[in-house]
């Protein structure tokens, strides 16, 4: 199991994650969205998380995110 976290407030909308890993990422309102994630707005910004069996292509998306706002653990 892996938990994927998207620090959406940091996202610059470059689209790399959606093109590398369309199974998990799409673009919406100029920023990325982690498909099926629960997004919450907090005092520290907007975050989305979801748990998956396998991080799969999210690893490549995280590695290629220019602002490093995709985290996997
Ligand atoms: S690669 Fe990173 S900065 Fe680019 S759209 Fe995806 S989450 Fe946002």
């Amino acid at each position: 199991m892996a938990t994927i976290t998207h620090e959406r407030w940091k996202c610059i909308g470059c689209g790399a994650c959606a093109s590398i890993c369309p199974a998990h990422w799409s673009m919406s309102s100029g920023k990325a969205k982690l498909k099926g994630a629960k997004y919450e707005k907090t005092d520290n910004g907007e975050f989305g998380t979801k748990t998956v069996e396998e991080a799969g292509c999210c690893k490549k998306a995280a590695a290629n995110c220019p602002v490093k706002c995709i985290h996997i653990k």
Side-chain angles (χ1 to χ4, degrees):
M1 298 286 270
T3 301
I4 303 166
T5 303
H6 183 214
E7 293 180 279
R8 195 165 197 256
W9 64 278
K10 275 190 194 172
C11 176
I12 57 168
C14 73
C17 55
S19 60
I20 291 167
C21 189
H24 290 287
W25 296 90
S26 61
M27 299 306 291
S28 164
S29 306
K31 292 194 177 202
K33 269 238 154 143
L34 178 58
K35 292 179 180 177
K38 184 173 179 240
Y39 275 87
E40 284 182 287
K41 285 189 177 156
T42 73
D43 289 346
N44 295 320
E46 186 181 16
F47 295 83
T49 56
K50 75 171 176 176
T51 301
V52 293
E53 283 293 327
E54 288 285 337
C57 60
C58 286
K59 291 181 190 167
K60 207 171 170 191
N64 284 278
C65 175
V67 294
K68 300 293 177 219
C69 68
I70 298 171
H71 307 283
I72 300 166
K73 64 178 181 184

